Amino acid sequence: MKTAICTKYGTPDVIQIKEVKTPTVQDDQVLIKVHATTVTSGDCVLRNSKMLVMRLLFGLTKPRKDILGSELSGTIEVVGKNVTKFKKGDSIIAYTGMQVGAHAEYITLSENAVLTAKPENMTFEESAAIAFGGTTALYFLRKGNIHNGQNVLIFGASGAVGTSAIQLAKHFGATVTAVCSSRNFELVRSLGADHVIDYTQEDFSKKGTRYDLIFDAVGKSSKSSSKQALTLSGKYISVAGGLAKENLDDLLLLKELVEAGELKSVIDQCYPFEQISQAHAYVEKGHKQGNVVITL
């Protein structure tokens, strides 16, 4: 099978397409033919590994896990003899999170992994792009104790996490201000943002508006500079402050919201698998709208 192998840390060209043996299915596993996956900001962080903490987790001199990719959609081709939740031919979505491994033609997962049926109202490309941004947004919004009636600001609102955060904050009953560049105003408004601020023209912290929750979805602001824009009991949270653990209940909630029409994935670009290094280069520029999808 084809895989995208990251054998060392570095620039996007360290990603190489290689043929490896298709994995063998264990009794409690399913073999999935991957139809679509994504290149996320998280994949780029793992690949360039400029942060010492990431090298401590994934390998000091080279990645211990050389196949990246944390989310996917596909079709189950083989089921282990003890599997009861899935059958051959099922269309699924899965989130491998920090276990990665989705940048390949095939992947084996336990039937008890973060794995469920694909939303019926989404294509494989669309459904491959809901888990990373959605799960991350859910984790941090909950960390900020989001609830109905709050005034919420989302900084970096046009990326994979930000576009999910807008929709989820609206689901939880918040009034949402999206901070992004003006070229993304139409996008974030279409996702439910009530107010928009162009970060290249205005400093949201100096406008005089107070927020119950400020969520930095790209990790480029600071708590100290945002403090004056918070209410007395307001909270500041940032993706730079932790990792969102993969969780089946979260994936099921995202699927439910998709099928109810409350959540959609935003796709900026689709690349064929053979151009995955180019996808890494595009994502690393930091200007994508929503997600970058890889098709197999």
Side-chain angles (χ1 to χ4, degrees):
M1 68 174 185
K2 292 180 182 178
T3 57
I5 302 290
C6 178
T7 58
K8 60 182 179 180
Y9 296 123
T11 56
D13 58 10
V14 303
I15 303 292
Q16 301 293 322
I17 304 296
K18 292 189 176 180
E19 289 279 348
V20 302
K21 185 178 179 181
T22 302
T24 301
V25 178
Q26 304 299 313
D27 291 347
D28 64 341
Q29 291 182 328
V30 295
L31 177 69
I32 301 164
K33 172 65 177 73
V34 179
H35 295 315
T37 179
T38 64
V39 172
T40 69
S41 57
D43 292 316
C44 291
V45 168
L46 293 180
R47 188 250 311 144
N48 64 41
S49 199
K50 294 178 181 178
M51 295 187 293
L52 176 59
V53 65
M54 299 310 294
R55 292 200 178 211
L56 291 174
L57 288 171
F58 286 92
L60 286 175
T61 59
K62 64 179 182 178
R64 282 192 289 267
K65 298 176 180 178
D66 58 7
I67 301 176
L68 304 179
S70 63
E71 58 186 342
L72 63 106
S73 64
T75 304
I76 292 178
E77 290 209 351
V78 180
V79 295
K81 67 178 183 180
N82 295 334
V83 171
T84 60
K85 296 180 180 179
F86 302 96
K87 66 182 185 302
K88 182 178 179 179
D90 285 348
S91 297
I92 58 85
I93 54 173
Y95 185 47
T96 61
M98 301 300 283
Q99 300 304 310
V100 293
H103 291 170
E105 277 192 292
Y106 292 91
I107 186 172
T108 53
L109 294 174
S110 165
E111 70 168 335
N112 296 314
V114 183
L115 170 68
T116 191
K118 181 180 76 67
E120 294 183 358
N121 56 340
M122 271 189 164
T123 65
F124 282 107
E125 291 80 10
E126 291 167 337
S127 57
I130 64 170
F132 170 75
T135 295
T136 304
L138 269 177
Y139 172 81
F140 285 101
L141 290 174
R142 287 169 175 162
K143 187 176 180 180
N145 193 30
I146 191 168
H147 56 267
N148 183 57
Q150 284 187 317
N151 196 20
V152 174
L153 180 138
I154 298 169
F155 187 88
S158 59
V161 177
T163 52
S164 292
I166 293 170
Q167 298 173 85
L168 291 167
K170 294 301 294 183
H171 167 72
F172 289 118
T175 297
V176 175
T177 296
V179 180
C180 57
S181 65
S182 58
R183 78 180 184 93
N184 295 317
F185 278 5
E186 183 178 350
L187 168 64
V188 297
R189 285 189 177 115
S190 73
L191 298 175
D194 301 285
H195 310 286
V196 292
I197 297 174
D198 183 349
Y199 73 92
T200 69
Q201 302 296 320
E202 294 183 277
D203 183 342
F204 74 85
S205 68
K206 296 178 180 177
K207 287 177 64 66
T209 305
R210 301 278 181 167
Y211 300 95
D212 302 296
L213 175 62
I214 293 174
F215 173 33
D216 181 350
V218 289
K220 293 184 178 179
S221 66
S222 68
K223 185 175 183 179
S224 59
S225 64
S226 303
K227 190 173 182 180
Q228 61 186 325
L230 289 169
T231 61
L232 289 177
S233 60
K235 291 187 177 183
Y236 170 89
I237 52 175
S238 171
V239 293
L243 298 172
K245 187 173 176 60
E246 55 272 16
N247 181 290
L248 179 57
D249 287 340
D250 286 351
L251 187 62
L252 292 173
L253 173 59
L254 296 173
K255 177 178 180 289
E256 179 183 321
L257 293 177
V258 165
E259 293 181 334
E262 293 188 56
L263 179 68
K264 64 180 181 180
S265 57
V266 175
I267 297 176
D268 185 323
Q269 300 283 340
C270 283
Y271 288 82
F273 190 59
E274 291 72 19
Q275 294 180 12
I276 194 167
S277 62
Q278 289 96 314
H280 270 261
Y282 182 73
V283 172
E284 201 161 58
K285 292 178 181 178
H287 301 301
K288 66 180 175 65
Q289 291 184 322
N291 301 271
V292 170
V293 171
I294 305 298
T295 56
L296 290 90

